[in-house]
């Protein structure tokens, strides 16, 4: 099982301004064929938010952790989606 990563830009809005934040979304590369739970909607997956340290959202540990969560079938049999959230608004991803 492999994972797919894509950068994403999202907005944090307050009453007087809007800030662009630059994160990464990881998801399974292909849907799981696991039919153990027929009650589960095959189009929905659990989501996990990871927040970076002072190293920023480019921290290699966060990318490794996101990939390992998606590929760990003993924890998430059908996979999951992981957002590495940006909390600084740095377009390059390095704090």
């Amino acid at each position: 099982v492999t994972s797919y990563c894509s950068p994403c830009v999202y907005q944090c809005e307050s009453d007087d301004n809007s800030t662009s934040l630059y994160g990464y979304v990881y998801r399974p590369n292909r849907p799981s064929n696991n039919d153990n739970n027929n009650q589960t909607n095959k189009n929905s997956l659990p989501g996990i938010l990871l927040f970076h340290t002072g190293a920023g959202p480019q921290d290699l540990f966060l990318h490794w952790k996101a990939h390992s969560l998606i590929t760990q079938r003993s924890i998430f049999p059908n996979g999951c989606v992981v957002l590495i959230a940006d909390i600084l608004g740095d377009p390059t991803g390095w704090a």
Side-chain angles (χ1 to χ4, degrees), residues 67-84:
H67 173 76
S68 67
L69 285 167
I70 289 169
T71 58
Q72 184 62 262
R73 294 300 183 195
S74 63
I75 298 172
F76 297 106
N78 295 318
C80 65
V81 175
V82 178
L83 170 64
I84 299 175

Side-chain angles (χ1 to χ4, degrees), residues 4-94:
Y4 175 78
C5 174
S6 61
C8 69
V9 179
Y10 54 101
Q11 301 292 316
C12 179
E13 297 182 15
S14 64
D15 291 337
D16 54 350
N17 68 0
S18 176
T19 302
S20 293
L21 298 171
Y22 305 87
Y24 294 89
V25 175
Y26 273 81
R27 63 173 177 78
N29 200 25
R30 57 184 159 68
S32 173
N33 291 329
N34 187 350
D35 291 329
N36 290 339
N37 186 355
N38 292 330
Q39 302 298 327
T40 303
N41 181 350
K42 299 296 183 191
N43 295 324
S44 64
L45 297 171
I48 298 172
L49 291 174
L50 295 179
F51 294 96
H52 62 80
T53 63
Q58 286 287 356
D59 186 351
L60 293 179
F61 173 76
L62 289 173
H63 291 267
W64 171 83
K65 189 61 177 177
H67 173 76
S68 67
L69 285 167
I70 289 169
T71 58
Q72 184 62 262
R73 294 300 183 195
S74 63
I75 298 172
F76 297 106
N78 295 318
C80 65
V81 175
V82 178
L83 170 64
I84 299 175
D86 175 25
I87 59 175
L88 299 176
D90 179 8
T92 64
W94 296 100

